[in-house]
Amino acid sequence: MTTAPVHEKPETRSSSAPSTTSDTARRTVVWPQTRLRRDALAQLAYDLPVGDQHPDKRQSRRNGATRLLTWLESCPGGTWQERWEASGAESLGKGWREAGVDALVAAGGTSPFNARRHFTLGMSCLISLRVLRPGYDWMITNHFSDTYRHVQALTDPEFFAEIDAAAERVGVRERVRVDALNHLTRVVMHTGRGPRELTPDDLHECHAALKSSGRNGDSVGLAWAMLRSHNVFPPGTPTMRAARQRGQLSVEELVDRHGLSSEPVRALLIRYLHERAAGMDHVSLRGLVGLIAGAFWKDVEEHHPDLDTINLPPDVAVAWKERVGFQRRPWSKGQPRADRYSVFFAVRALYLDIAHWAVEDPTWAPWVFRCPIRDEDVRGSMKHQRQRRARMHQRTRTLAPLLPDLVTSVEQHLERLEKLLATASASAVGDVISVGGTEFRRVQVAADARTGNQRGACRVRVERCDTGEHLDVERAEDEAFWTWAVVETLRHTGIRHEEMLELTHLALTTHTLPDTGEVVPLFQIAPSKLDQERVLLVAPELAHVLARVVHRVRAGNEHVPLVARYDPYERLTSAPLPHLFQRRHGAENRVMSAATTHRLLKLAVQRAELVGPDGNLLRYTPHDFRRIFATEAVFTGLPVHIAAKLLGHNDLNTTQTYVAVYNDDVLRHHRAFITRRRALRPGSEYRDPTRDEWSEFEQHFTKRKVELGTCARPYGSPCRHEHACIRCPVLRPDPAQEPRLLTIVVNLNDRLREAAERGLLGEVEGLQVSLDAANQKLAQMRKLRTQTTLLAFGPSRYTAGHRTDS
């Protein structure tokens, strides 16, 4: 008798209810197949219409199912699913067969190898027949690839083929599509429902199981997109990435992440932060919670667990202020904190705000205490800011001269890959093509062992003939284009990184000048950091970049696709908008992330081989382009207050911290100052020198040359150090005289040793001073030699940290 497998929905489980992996929840679900008798299931295994239909193979399936069910009968339970869970085999992972092999071998008639093979065949049959519903952890550990295809064919083969074809049409690679279909099949096997009946909660559970097992769950996002695009999920269901993103946390949740023990202090901090939250954005609020609840009170609690008030004893406050100079995070614990003054100011504001509020609201009065932060504790904050500003300026001076080289490298890399893509697309598999003096061979992509289809057959791939390196030309060209777009947009606008990622097609507009009637393109920057929008004039170079970006994003369509963007700072998802910086990711478009732009810039710097004065590879961040834009704008004559408007600064002091003044700027302004001073003085004072005066002046510089270098005493002044050049601080040592100075050092050591042996203490003191001065001069010589070597290092694009075009 031939009986078709039965596929019914569970009796006691709603198709929209979220699934669970707990044994208790699964035991409450009962379905018809798991109640069938052993002989009926053995016949269904024999009659399975999938797999090899040879009589011997069908008989092997019957035998495997019979032996597995025979072993499960020895386990307690009223259904086969309950017996499977009671056996404990599912918790053994890949060793699940060993739970019943011994019993099967002891019963006689088979070997351990045959017993394992029977169990494997029987398990495949029982899963295909929907008798057993294993957990995700077990299915992830055990690879039943043939069973996945059998389940797809037995449930809804048309639907699986339809979503696979739809993903292939949009360019999803074969491997990614197979992984997504396998994830969907696992959900079908675990829930017992068809693919058209799955819910978002089902895929959330599968994704969580993959993550907990340490595996990549990105393909689950494609499976989600497949079901979403085919209207399986309810209307308005967001993408899986958007659905999994956590929104803004409440003040209580932010504080509780630090695990404070003192309930009174916790309640105080929550109340205080609620007052402050009204005037802060979410990222600033998270930072403030980290400073007050984490760096301050949590640290105090760890060292003084009995303390239940913010009225810190003097010794506790002093110890905390010493510890705050070091990091508390596990991965950086013990390292110096970059800015301890931010913690001091936050804690100081806590005490002062409470004292101020207590004047109008007496309920704050019990928490008014003396602030542990004294004026001397924050006295060095201005020095710290100046040092930080100096580091930023030096970084700008280092990166700005090399920006043209980076731009050139990015443009050439894009042109080379565009030509390679066009040439390779027009060639046949096996053809050898030459681009930029490098030969490539168009290669055939590997075929999928399961289906025989080519993995990623829609993509263009080549192999370098000299190195054998394989290259996905389409992906490489796409990354090269977006690297070029990021660099050009940032350097022409000086906008913030977040503002660039938020750019939409709606930001491009035009304006007609009232006096001339000229139509000029404008760029509207949406409110971001300071909740202020501004409008920039679009230069021709920037207009070219934006036009190419719009053309690529449209991809032949009439409009730019609408994509929702998740703001990682405010933790909010925007409405779908025509974002410009969006890329294809699997079956959906996504706005570029900050990590992606940082990665593209890092690769661009590596290709350009840009190194700093220390010989190490440089690093460009999106904010570096903003500082370079501000510096070059002011350097070329743009007023600072106009630059502040372009950058979106409310305070001119902020703009001035961005502007790094070059040495040639100082010299130019100093020369202009001297010219103005000379114009105000009597002309008689500016006469030509006489012959005797000029001869005396030349003799002064002739006498500057001494044994170990050059004397730098002022013109017209005699030698005040009685020609003791080794001790003289105005001696400029010559590195070429290092051997002579080494001879002097050896002589001084010998004389010092002789004077010490003879007890000439006065001579010892004088010789020691001379020896110390000689060692200082020797160190100066070696330092000058190192600098000279750096400056003379070939035809480098970088020279001593200064602009090469000055």
Side-chain angles (χ1 to χ4, degrees):
M1 179 182 67
T2 301
T3 306
V6 181
H7 303 291
E8 298 179 3
K9 290 189 292 185
E11 295 178 352
T12 62
R13 184 172 181 172
S14 170
S15 61
S16 60
S19 57
T20 177
T21 57
S22 65
D23 292 340
T24 304
R26 278 196 285 169
R27 287 194 186 100
T28 62
V29 181
V30 179
W31 55 97
Q33 295 93 322
T34 193
R35 292 174 171 175
L36 295 177
R37 293 168 47 192
R38 183 181 64 182
D39 55 350
L41 291 175
Q43 185 61 38
L44 290 175
Y46 183 86
D47 296 334
L48 270 177
V50 293
D52 194 339
Q53 296 300 307
H54 190 276
D56 292 342
K57 297 294 183 181
R58 298 174 69 172
Q59 185 60 38
S60 297
R61 290 199 294 267
R62 183 207 294 267
N63 294 337
T66 301
R67 298 198 176 200
L68 180 58
L69 292 172
T70 301
W71 170 67
L72 288 178
E73 282 183 335
S74 62
C75 301
T79 64
W80 297 114
Q81 177 68 24
E82 293 176 357
R83 297 184 184 107
W84 164 254
E85 294 172 356
S87 68
E90 188 168 321
S91 61
L92 299 178
K94 289 185 177 181
W96 68 274
R97 301 171 188 84
E98 306 304 324
V101 165
D102 295 339
L104 196 61
V105 172
T110 185
S111 64
F113 174 80
N114 288 332
R116 295 186 184 92
R117 186 174 62 87
H118 287 310
F119 273 24
T120 302
L121 288 174
M123 193 66 182
S124 177
C125 293
L126 296 183
I127 292 176
S128 300
L129 293 170
R130 317 290 281 278
V131 176
L132 299 181
R133 297 178 182 176
Y136 287 117
D137 293 338
W138 185 88
M139 288 189 286
I140 293 170
T141 305
N142 295 275
H143 305 287
F144 280 74
S145 55
D146 292 337
T147 307
Y148 294 154
R149 295 196 298 275
H150 296 167
V151 172
Q152 294 171 13
L154 291 171
T155 52
D156 198 338
E158 295 80 8
F159 181 78
F160 281 104
E162 181 182 349
I163 60 176
D164 184 37
E168 184 178 10
R169 283 195 297 270
V170 297
V172 181
R173 290 176 295 170
E174 175 75 13
R175 179 183 59 80
V176 180
R177 299 202 312 271
V178 170
D179 288 344
L181 293 178
N182 286 343
H183 291 322
L184 280 180
T185 308
R186 289 191 186 101
V187 178
V188 169
M189 293 159 54
H190 179 75
T191 61
R193 296 195 293 274
R196 301 178 192 267
E197 302 166 350
L198 299 180
T199 66
D201 289 333
D202 295 331
L203 268 68
H204 278 309
E205 180 188 352
C206 180
H207 184 271
L210 286 168
K211 286 295 186 180
S212 63
S213 63
R215 289 169 171 80
N216 188 355
D218 291 344
S219 298
V220 181
L222 176 58
W224 180 295
M226 289 176 171
L227 300 182
R228 180 169 169 263
S229 61
H230 286 73
N231 300 322
V232 174
F233 290 164
T237 301
T239 63
M240 185 174 187
R241 186 166 177 258
R244 292 187 59 82
Q245 286 165 341
R246 181 69 184 272
Q248 293 185 352
L249 301 180
S250 65
V251 172
E252 290 79 3
E253 291 174 324
L254 291 173
V255 172
D256 289 340
R257 290 195 304 179
H258 296 278
L260 304 184
S261 302
S262 174
E263 185 58 33
V265 176
R266 173 185 174 275
L268 169 69
L269 296 183
I270 290 175
R271 182 185 177 189
Y272 172 77
L273 291 168
H274 270 297
E275 294 287 340
R276 293 287 306 274
M280 304 177 69
D281 54 26
H282 190 67
V283 63
S284 301
L285 178 62
R286 295 204 313 267
L288 182 61
V289 173
L291 296 177
I292 295 179
F296 172 53
W297 188 250
K298 183 61 178 178
D299 183 82
V300 172
E301 277 191 347
E302 290 178 352
H303 294 82
H304 306 278
D306 299 332
L307 199 61
D308 216 22
T309 176
I310 62 173
N311 185 19
L312 303 184
D315 57 334
V316 174
V318 171
W320 170 75
K321 285 186 287 188
E322 292 178 354
R323 293 192 304 269
V324 83
F326 302 93
Q327 295 282 356
R328 295 181 61 254
R329 297 184 179 91
W331 57 87
S332 60
K333 191 171 184 178
Q335 298 180 6
R337 187 186 295 271
D339 183 14
R340 61 174 182 169
Y341 296 105
S342 59
V343 184
F344 285 165
F345 284 122
V347 174
R348 191 176 190 179
L350 168 68
Y351 283 83
L352 297 182
D353 286 342
I354 293 176
H356 177 71
W357 296 340
V359 175
E360 298 182 356
D361 186 358
T363 58
W364 289 100
W367 294 100
V368 176
F369 300 109
R370 185 178 181 182
C371 179
I373 308 300
R374 303 288 181 260
D375 290 341
E376 56 269 19
D377 296 329
V378 295
R379 193 165 293 160
S381 61
M382 295 302 298
K383 180 180 179 181
H384 174 77
Q385 291 181 7
R386 289 193 295 268
Q387 292 174 346
R388 179 174 176 269
R389 183 183 306 175
R391 290 194 300 268
M392 289 194 306
H393 286 180
Q394 183 57 38
R395 178 176 176 83
T396 303
R397 295 189 189 103
T398 302
L399 298 179
L402 299 178
L403 181 57
D405 298 325
L406 177 63
V407 172
T408 302
S409 174
V410 169
E411 291 177 347
Q412 292 177 350
H413 183 63
L414 175 59
E415 292 175 0
R416 184 166 55 251
L417 285 176
E418 286 178 339
K419 184 177 180 181
L420 177 60
L421 178 59
T423 307
S425 301
S427 63
V429 175
D431 290 350
V432 176
I433 58 180
S434 178
V435 175
T438 305
E439 291 187 344
F440 299 88
R441 179 182 292 104
R442 178 77 184 271
V443 295
Q444 178 76 39
V445 295
D448 183 72
R450 177 178 66 85
T451 63
N453 297 330
Q454 297 173 1
R455 294 187 182 130
C458 58
R459 307 180 74 88
V460 178
R461 301 176 185 270
V462 297
E463 176 188 8
R464 287 191 58 165
C465 297
D466 54 350
T467 63
E469 176 187 1
H470 283 254
L471 178 64
D472 186 339
V473 185
E474 291 187 21
R475 180 176 180 179
E477 188 272 341
D478 184 69
E479 289 194 348
F481 173 83
W482 287 111
T483 304
W484 171 78
V486 167
V487 170
E488 291 295 310
T489 303
L490 290 175
R491 80 182 186 97
H492 284 303
T493 60
I495 59 178
R496 300 180 180 91
H497 190 194
E498 180 186 5
E499 292 172 342
M500 182 193 71
L501 298 180
E502 290 178 347
L503 290 178
T504 67
H505 198 197
L506 305 176
L508 305 178
T509 183
T510 59
H511 175 67
T512 304
L513 298 179
D515 51 350
T516 63
E518 180 184 0
V519 178
V520 294
L522 298 178
F523 207 29
Q524 182 182 11
I525 307 298
S528 61
K529 183 177 181 179
L530 300 178
D531 291 333
Q532 294 179 354
E533 71 172 1
R534 61 190 189 276
V535 179
L536 306 179
L537 182 66
V538 177
E541 298 84 359
L542 180 60
H544 171 67
V545 175
L546 297 178
R548 291 193 60 180
V549 169
V550 171
H551 176 74
R552 173 168 290 246
V553 173
R554 280 179 176 172
N557 299 318
E558 183 179 358
H559 302 289
V560 175
L562 302 180
V563 182
R565 177 183 178 272
Y566 177 73
D567 188 344
Y569 299 103
E570 292 300 316
R571 295 194 174 182
L572 296 175
T573 302
S574 69
L577 294 171
H579 287 93
L580 295 182
F581 285 83
Q582 58 174 284
R583 298 176 62 195
R584 195 71 179 172
H585 188 90
E588 62 183 7
N589 283 10
R590 292 183 185 177
V591 179
M592 290 175 59
S593 64
T596 299
T597 55
H598 281 282
R599 180 178 63 85
L600 295 179
L601 290 176
K602 180 180 179 180
L603 294 176
V605 173
Q606 292 176 352
R607 284 191 299 266
E609 298 179 352
L610 302 180
V611 296
D614 56 355
N616 295 327
L617 198 68
L618 291 176
R619 175 175 175 264
Y620 278 81
T621 65
H623 214 71
D624 290 326
F625 291 90
R626 183 171 171 84
R627 296 192 183 99
I628 295 174
F629 175 85
T631 299
E632 294 188 347
V634 176
F635 179 74
T636 54
L638 187 70
V640 177
H641 67 283
I642 301 298
K645 291 294 183 182
L646 295 179
L647 295 172
H649 291 158
N650 290 332
D651 190 356
L652 290 181
N653 292 328
T654 305
T655 307
Q656 290 175 350
T657 61
Y658 278 61
V659 179
V661 180
Y662 290 90
N663 293 335
D664 50 0
D665 298 337
V666 177
L667 296 176
R668 177 163 51 86
H669 289 292
H670 191 197
R671 291 182 63 182
F673 169 75
I674 294 175
T675 303
R676 291 192 300 269
R677 286 282 302 270
R678 293 186 63 176
L680 298 176
R681 298 180 68 88
S684 59
E685 296 185 6
Y686 299 101
R687 60 179 177 80
D688 295 333
T690 64
R691 179 176 298 180
D692 294 338
E693 290 173 341
W694 188 254
S695 176
E696 180 185 355
F697 182 74
E698 289 181 337
Q699 289 178 7
H700 165 76
F701 285 97
T702 302
K703 294 179 181 179
R704 292 179 62 183
K705 187 65 176 176
V706 294
E707 179 185 20
L708 297 177
T710 305
C711 179
R713 68 178 183 270
Y715 165 69
S717 62
C719 179
R720 298 181 180 180
H721 303 92
E722 300 178 357
H723 299 282
C725 297
I726 291 182
R727 298 187 181 186
C728 183
V730 296
L731 173 67
R732 294 179 178 175
D734 182 7
Q737 303 303 322
E738 182 178 351
R740 185 181 298 273
L741 182 58
L742 288 174
T743 303
I744 295 176
V745 170
V746 173
N747 186 24
L748 287 172
N749 280 315
D750 293 340
R751 293 175 59 190
L752 181 62
R753 189 181 308 106
E754 180 183 0
E757 292 174 353
R758 296 176 60 183
L760 306 176
L761 300 183
E763 190 73 13
V764 169
E765 183 179 1
L767 290 173
Q768 186 63 50
V769 172
S770 298
L771 182 61
D772 294 340
N775 288 326
Q776 291 179 1
K777 295 295 186 295
L778 185 62
Q780 292 178 13
M781 285 183 178
R782 292 172 177 172
K783 184 176 180 180
L784 289 173
R785 174 174 293 159
T786 304
Q787 294 177 348
T788 304
T789 304
L790 177 62
L791 293 175
F793 184 67
S796 175
R797 298 181 293 266
Y798 181 90
T799 306
H802 300 294
R803 294 170 60 94
T804 56
D805 55 354
S806 59

